[in-house]
Amino acid sequence: MNSPSSITMSPAVAAAVAGRQPVVALESTVYSTLGLPAPHNKQVLEASQQAITDGGATPALTAVINGRPMVGLDDPTPVLTATAKVAARDLAVAMAKRWSVGVTTVGASLTLAHHVGVNVFATGGIGGVHRNASVTGDISGDLPVIGRFPIVTVCAGAKAFLDLPRTLEMLETLGVVVIGFGTDELPAFTTTTSGLPVPHRMDDPAEIAAVLRHRKALGQGGVLVCAPPPEPLDADVLAAANEQAEADADAASIAGSARTPYVLGAIARLTNGASVSANTALVTNNATIATAIAVALAAG
Ligand code: PSU
Ligand code: MN
């Protein structure tokens, strides 16, 4: 099915959207080797999609395939080996140049989901304000897109190698409502503790569904739900890995869209793969929570 902006839905997603059945959109960068090493990426993608199906919703993996923005892929294989990262600002270029495979970031995926009427989305961690951003200016394009569209994004907070206090401040500026799911503290992706309080806590998916309905009625944008990772890393081990990974990235002059994949890879090496296991568990957990919210939204 083609929408006016030529976004293509898979038959399963198109049927679910038309029937007002619950759908959970997924980004694809995290499932490419830019996000997780093989074979973990394939296993996590399958586990996430299974969690959504088991919970009674339809998974909608987003990507650009042969220049076509897709919401729902019948064959997700191309995503696993893709190396072209498509942020929201790159979507139109990937379409115009007919990129064979582009994996979409949180911001790009939210843009596609919104345009086909999907309002719940799951990821691992969102992009944020990078450390030293006052010098480099590196602030993820995910943030303004989260603020713009009325979609529930379920994540485990933002990665601990970012500047989390400034990330929360930027979310406030952008008008994003930040909710801790079963927690009063912002999780820091692979650890449960950031030391930063979240503005609101909710434990009931139906209450989060109600928040989204009210946001829409008010003409407001995104809802960010932050869930603690179920298999967290030791905070001190992670902090040491973060420091080293950031220093390595600086020494190698890695900037722009390559910075996040580089740092994620360095942390995986420095923690002997422990960060990958924690990442796997939290991505699947977020998909499960997003499904419960999507089911509550469809019921209400
Ligand atoms: N967090 C992860 N793995 C990832 C990403 C985040 O654990 O692969 C990806 C997401 O797709 C997110 C993107 O949208 O990184 C943000 O990139 P940047 O910092 O360049 O905006
Ligand atoms: Mn950046």
Side-chain angles (χ1 to χ4, degrees), residues 54-143:
D54 289 348
T58 301
L61 181 64
T62 59
V64 177
I65 307 285
N66 296 324
R68 288 180 145 216
M70 312 284 295
V71 179
L73 294 185
D74 287 331
D75 175 17
T77 328
V79 157
L80 301 172
T81 52
T83 55
K85 177 175 167 183
V86 178
R89 66 167 186 171
D90 308 315
L91 276 168
V93 174
M95 293 162 73
K97 285 185 168 286
R98 298 187 184 283
W99 288 7
S100 58
V101 193
V103 280
T104 43
T105 63
V106 169
S109 304
L110 287 173
T111 304
L112 299 182
H114 175 72
H115 283 292
V116 298
V118 174
N119 52 17
V120 181
F121 168 77
T123 182
I126 60 165
V129 179
H130 285 252
R131 293 182 191 180
N132 214 23
S134 58
V135 175
T136 63
D138 191 350
I139 299 173
S140 176
D142 287 348
L143 298 182

Side-chain angles (χ1 to χ4, degrees), residues 202-211 213 292-293 296-297:
M202 289 185 177
D203 299 63
D204 180 2
E207 204 168 32
I208 296 169
V211 168
R213 284 192 209 102
I293 297 168
L297 264 170

